[in-house]
Amino acid sequence: MMMMRRAVVALFVLSTWSVSVHVASAITSSTRTSNLLANLASDGLSLDVLQSEYDGLMYDTKAIDGPSTLDELVVKLSQKFRTIKSVALGLKSTIESELTRAVSGRGDSLDECCRKTGLAYDSRFGSEID
């Protein structure tokens, strides 16, 4: 499948280049433009190959009840968003409590923790490290 995708991309690039060479002459005639687009679809994009791959896929058909399916979708999405929101609020409260604890334990600001002494320059990092 990956090889086919690469081939389609390569064909598209080559056909785009050949199309750009012939664009000026094709614009003057609608028949030429139509033929050019038909050739691009069949040769350049390999739509017949893509269509045969799509036709070969297996799928199941089943009747659905629109309103009940929509209700199920609403419930599932709201549960996911509620979970994401609760995780985000939990992270927020944890960060705020850690920040409060860090500030109260070290004074008025967090600048003190950033004023380290005894650092040595390391060329790998381009700065001083401990």
Side-chain angles (χ1 to χ4, degrees):
M1 190 66 164
M2 186 63 158
M3 188 66 122
M4 187 177 76
R5 287 182 186 164
R6 287 183 182 167
V8 168
V9 169
L11 287 172
F12 178 74
V13 169
L14 289 173
S15 65
T16 304
W17 178 76
S18 68
V19 167
S20 65
V21 170
H22 300 290
V23 165
S25 63
I27 289 175
T28 60
S29 169
S30 61
T31 305
R32 283 185 184 169
T33 304
S34 176
N35 290 339
L36 186 63
L37 291 175
N39 288 339
L40 175 65
S42 63
D43 299 335
L45 297 177
S46 301
L47 291 182
D48 52 343
V49 174
L50 294 175
Q51 185 65 48
S52 66
E53 287 291 324
Y54 180 74
D55 292 340
L57 296 174
M58 300 298 294
Y59 62 93
D60 295 326
T61 58
K62 67 176 186 175
I64 60 170
D65 179 26
S68 66
T69 303
L70 185 60
D71 291 339
E72 291 174 16
L73 184 61
V74 166
V75 169
K76 288 179 182 178
L77 286 175
S78 65
Q79 288 172 346
K80 288 182 181 185
F81 282 115
R82 257 188 259 128
T83 302
I84 292 169
K85 183 179 179 181
S86 67
V87 167
L89 290 175
L91 285 172
K92 178 185 176 226
S93 65
T94 301
I95 290 170
E96 287 173 343
S97 66
E98 288 294 317
L99 184 61
T100 303
R101 188 171 61 83
V103 170
S104 66
R106 292 194 176 111
D108 294 319
S109 71
L110 293 176
D111 290 337
E112 294 175 20
C113 72
C114 298
R115 294 187 193 137
K116 288 196 77 123
T117 58
L119 301 176
Y121 181 80
D122 190 336
S123 61
R124 294 179 297 167
F125 300 102
S127 64
E128 295 181 340
I129 62 170
D130 59 354

